[in-house]
Amino acid sequence: MTAPQAAVPAPVVPAPAVPAPTSGHQLAQVNVGRTVAPLDSPELAGFMDQLAEINALAERSPGFVWRLVDDTGADATGLHPDPDDGLLQINCSVWQSVEALREYVYRSDHLRVLARRREWFQRPDGAHQAMWWVPAGHRPSVAEAMARIALIRDHGPGPEAFTFREPHPAPDAR
């Protein structure tokens, strides 16, 4: 006969730091990538198998606000920023700050998937991502997001479209 064991309290896991909201603006981000094969191909199975998990991780991450989804509501794989290019995929989301997005991209389990991106996506031949500030509550459209990438392609990073390498402060923080 064993003695009853005292209940062991669950370990206390400190909550991740929540970045402070950046005034009346939030950070929008977009990245696009051309897959190496159709999404339902064996070549993309490893990516597609992790997509829901990575999207859920983003939604649980401190500073996450919103992400673009197609009519299924699960992800954005049904949206095609270029109707003539079925392999071009878009990811667009809104965050509280550059720091919050950076934490998710480079310091969470997202990095594990990011490190394998060349298995699933072709090497981009130009600008393929952009960040910009939007008024709190604004949700960017596909056209708006693609216009921000075009700004970087045509003029380089600036206050209207920038990257992690050259971030710009929110308009009311300047």
Side-chain angles (χ1 to χ4, degrees):
M1 182 169 172
T2 59
Q5 296 182 345
V8 177
V12 175
V13 178
V18 177
T22 306
S23 64
H25 287 82
Q26 297 172 323
L27 181 77
Q29 77 78 31
V30 61
N31 62 76
V32 296
R34 183 168 286 110
T35 57
V36 297
L39 294 176
D40 60 353
S41 69
E43 291 89 345
L44 268 290
F47 174 74
M48 294 304 293
D49 288 348
Q50 300 177 76
L51 186 55
E53 172 189 344
I54 291 302
N55 285 336
L57 175 62
E59 292 174 351
R60 292 190 313 267
S61 295
F64 172 84
V65 175
W66 169 89
R67 68 181 172 86
L68 181 69
V69 296
D70 59 25
D71 291 340
T72 68
D75 55 48
T77 57
L79 300 174
H80 297 286
D82 180 349
D84 297 326
D85 186 348
L87 298 181
L88 188 63
Q89 299 297 315
I90 186 168
N91 174 306
C92 182
S93 57
V94 174
W95 296 77
Q96 288 293 335
S97 66
V98 173
E99 293 77 19
L101 177 59
R102 187 186 317 269
E103 285 292 318
Y104 166 70
V105 171
Y106 296 113
R107 296 188 185 104
S108 77
D109 210 29
H110 175 268
L111 186 59
R112 175 180 49 81
V113 176
L114 182 65
R116 296 182 60 194
R117 67 187 177 279
R118 292 292 167 255
E119 295 176 35
W120 307 307
F121 290 88
Q122 299 173 30
R123 184 172 296 281
D125 61 356
H128 64 282
Q129 58 185 339
M131 294 186 279
W132 71 102
W133 294 103
V134 296
H138 177 76
R139 305 298 180 246
S141 67
V142 170
E144 178 184 352
M146 295 304 290
R148 299 301 173 139
I149 291 175
L151 272 174
I152 292 180
R153 281 187 179 145
D154 295 344
H155 305 288
E160 304 304 317
F162 52 89
T163 65
F164 278 125
R165 288 186 181 175
E166 298 179 47
H168 286 262
D172 52 0
R174 294 179 192 154

